[in-house]
Amino acid sequence: MAYQAKAKILKNSCVGGNYFKMEISCPRVSKSALSGQFVNLKISDRFIPLLRRPISIHNVRGSKIELLYEVVGKGTELLSRKKAGEELDLIGPLGNSFSYVAKRTPILVAGGMGVAPLVFLADKLKKQKPLVLVGAKTKKQILCVKEFEKIGCAVKTATDDGSVGFKGRVTDMLKNLLSTIDYRQLTLYACGPKPMLKAVSVIAKIKNIPAQVSLEEHMACGIGACLGCVVNTKKGMKRVCKEGLVFDSGEIIW
Amino acid sequence: MANLTVNIGKLKLKNPVMVASGTFGYAEEFKDFIDLKKLGAIVTKTITLKPRKGNPGPRTCETPAGMLNSIGLENPGIEGFIAEKLPILKKIGVPAIISIASEGEAGEFVELSRRLDKIKEVSAIELNISCPNIRDKSRLISQDAQATYELVRSVRKVTQKTLITKLSPNVTSIVEIAKAAQAGGSDALSLINTLTGMSIDVRRRRPKIASIVAGLSGPAIKPVAVRMCWEVYKAVDLPIIGMGGIMNTEDALEFLIAGASAVSVGTGNFINPKASVEIIAGLKNYMTKNRINDIKNIVGSLKT
């Protein structure tokens, strides 16, 4: 069940660079939100920008929902200027969710903003002591390391330019890691750009490790009506906003 | 008590507010947000004879006060629709208008209409002869008066259901096409489908939509749609279902005053899933406030 509700902004602040963290209060939505789901925010009462902005749920604490977002265009720019006390028209929680796999050690793989939903997931999985691999272009784009550590996760970082952690892609770091450990009892969760998710799915297939990937696509409605965000899968075209965001990596035709 | 009932061909609607094809799925997508029973009618996503996968992505992008889409008629085909979607519409109990199309063959419309004619729960058929997102964009049926006439006529022969013809704004004279649809036996007209448009990512010098040319909808096209409703209302004696950028009650009233007997909310559903039911309430309020007891008294009431 999803709701269209008013959410009150409690906090909205820059956490470095173009990255912002917003806390909103929306008890009806926070109560039922699952990790991997998103909310669709109406940012303006005017017609520019017209469409809602889908933003993944970064974490939930009681009636509070946390959102981590990057300012990439007009919509997110307007969002970043919202003040505590203002209200947002919100639809959520939307989409399916990550499924928890018992008796397997989770490895979470994040690329860039892909960390956003994985913090919520790590929180849910904390008893299983997940390992988190965070990759980005440079040190400045490495996010949420402290949050993951606070939850109790071990964190490894990778940057394209080597400014922090492993020099290279996060998926290469994953590959290296899997060549040194027993991977038979692992399960992968990944969120990030499509090429990264494709690389994760290739690794998962070779090593025969179950992997769930959270996809991102252009959305118009976010509720499964417009068919704008579909992805080609072995079971036909699927709506990223409805049958996703989370898919078994083997299901996707990349 | 304000009378909101309207007639579209043989179809009697309890109110003039419907939802436009392609913007409402098959209705179940909106059940969390509104009481579907309140709608005047539901127009389905377009159905074709065989299932279609649709166009490659990206399929949508935002534009100033509007959006472009090129979905490419993705749908489960008539058999899939009857098996999976029709039972849901039946349960809702609101008149279901089934939108149909074909890629090239006009014969597909006839075949589809013949199948739908036998189904009790099908309240009307909307002929989508104006989708700009098919392979051969350069020759839509709705861009040719003779082709429009022939198509409507051949469908008319196989069904007694109310026939609604949905026209394209991408024409020199929409009145001419509307007259052809009337001559072919159409009971009503849906005005308008999307305007063709393009949007470019200048950094990458690439189109923002994979199929390059797409259909523009939303508030940006409303003045064009209102103008076309008014032109057709003056020239053709068929009920018009007006659509194009309707976001709220005032928008809906513009269409009714211009001559539309009913309205459809399209892109507005994406931004506010409650838009359609809010408009129904808004129209009632407007009528009460202005002491209008029958909505038909608003239709075509433009003072010039």
Side-chain angles (χ1 to χ4, degrees), chain B residues 24 27-28 30-31 34-39 42 92 94:
Chain B
F24 210 70
E28 60 187 317
F30 284 78
K31 68 172 179 356
I34 59 169
D35 179 0
L36 294 162
K37 286 185 165 50
K38 286 187 177 169
L39 295 171
I42 292 167
I92 297 166
V94 157

Side-chain angles (χ1 to χ4, degrees), chain B residues 2-304:
Chain B
N3 177 18
L4 271 87
T5 62
V6 294
N7 297 337
I8 304 290
K10 286 192 283 285
L11 197 55
K12 288 190 190 340
L13 306 183
K14 62 179 175 288
N15 69 62
V17 181
M18 355 206 290
V19 285
S21 178
T23 66
F24 210 70
Y26 301 96
E28 60 187 317
E29 290 81 359
F30 284 78
K31 68 172 179 356
D32 285 358
F33 310 110
I34 59 169
D35 179 0
L36 294 162
K37 286 185 165 50
K38 286 187 177 169
L39 295 171
I42 292 167
V43 188
T44 66
K45 171 83 184 151
T46 297
I47 305 297
T48 51
L49 211 46
K50 296 206 177 78
R52 281 175 61 95
K53 287 185 98 173
N55 291 339
R59 288 175 166 185
T60 64
C61 83
E62 194 176 47
T63 59
M67 62 170 283
L68 287 167
N69 90 81
S70 181
I71 308 299
L73 301 182
E74 180 184 335
N75 79 93
I78 181 86
E79 299 306 330
F81 167 75
I82 291 171
E84 294 155 32
K85 308 298 182 187
L86 193 64
I88 301 164
L89 290 166
K90 192 176 161 182
K91 217 188 251 174
I92 297 166
V94 157
I97 300 175
I98 315 303
S99 170
I100 60 170
S102 89
E103 173 77 30
E105 283 257 344
E108 246 186 63
F109 279 97
V110 176
E111 177 75 37
L112 283 161
S113 303
R114 204 178 268 138
R115 289 286 323 261
L116 294 172
D117 185 64
K118 297 192 189 90
I119 302 172
K120 202 181 81 203
E121 293 79 26
V122 173
S123 304
I125 299 170
E126 181 172 89
L127 302 172
N128 180 4
I129 58 171
S130 47
C131 174
N133 297 322
I134 53 173
R135 224 178 311 137
D136 191 356
K137 300 176 210 263
S138 59
R139 40 186 284 262
L140 303 175
I141 294 167
S142 60
Q143 287 173 325
D144 180 328
Q146 185 64 24
T148 299
Y149 166 75
E150 280 167 18
L151 181 108
V152 176
R153 205 174 65 128
S154 53
V155 172
R156 180 77 286 170
K157 282 179 188 162
V158 301
T159 181
Q160 292 305 304
K161 303 256 188 210
T162 294
L163 271 186
I164 303 162
T165 310
K166 186 162 181 176
L167 301 188
S168 170
N170 305 301
V171 292
T172 314
S173 164
I174 197 156
V175 167
E176 193 188 318
I177 311 291
K179 282 179 176 168
Q182 182 181 35
S186 192
D187 298 304
L189 301 168
S190 275
L191 304 178
I192 57 177
N193 208 318
T194 55
L195 284 145
T196 49
M198 270 173 76
S199 188
I200 296 170
D201 177 343
V202 295
R203 210 168 39 85
R204 296 163 61 233
R205 295 197 196 182
R206 286 184 178 280
K208 285 190 182 168
I209 302 271
S211 31
I212 307 175
V213 174
L216 180 66
S217 63
I221 73 165
K222 192 185 69 177
V224 178
V226 172
R227 183 265 293 178
M228 288 187 160
C229 285
W230 184 62
E231 283 179 354
V232 172
Y233 174 74
K234 285 188 298 175
V236 182
D237 190 20
L238 281 184
I240 295 166
I241 302 158
M243 68 200 75
I246 296 178
M247 303 293 286
N248 52 42
T249 304
E250 196 171 320
D251 296 336
L253 282 165
E254 272 197 68
F255 278 88
L256 295 172
I257 293 164
S261 297
V263 292
S264 267
V265 179
T267 299
N269 294 314
F270 300 162
I271 294 116
N272 177 15
K274 295 190 179 91
S276 52
V277 292
E278 285 175 3
I279 291 170
I280 296 167
L283 289 177
K284 274 185 205 162
N285 274 344
Y286 175 86
M287 289 168 69
T288 311
K289 218 183 254 173
N290 293 282
R291 297 183 187 178
I292 299 164
N293 48 29
D294 194 330
I295 192 110
K296 295 174 202 75
N297 296 338
I298 302 175
V299 174
S301 61
L302 182 74
K303 296 172 186 163
T304 53

Side-chain angles (χ1 to χ4, degrees), chain A residues 99-119:
Chain A
S99 28
Y100 309 138
V101 189
K103 290 182 191 157
R104 280 179 176 264
T105 304
I107 296 186
L108 279 50
V109 188
M113 275 308 293
V115 290
L118 297 185
V119 168

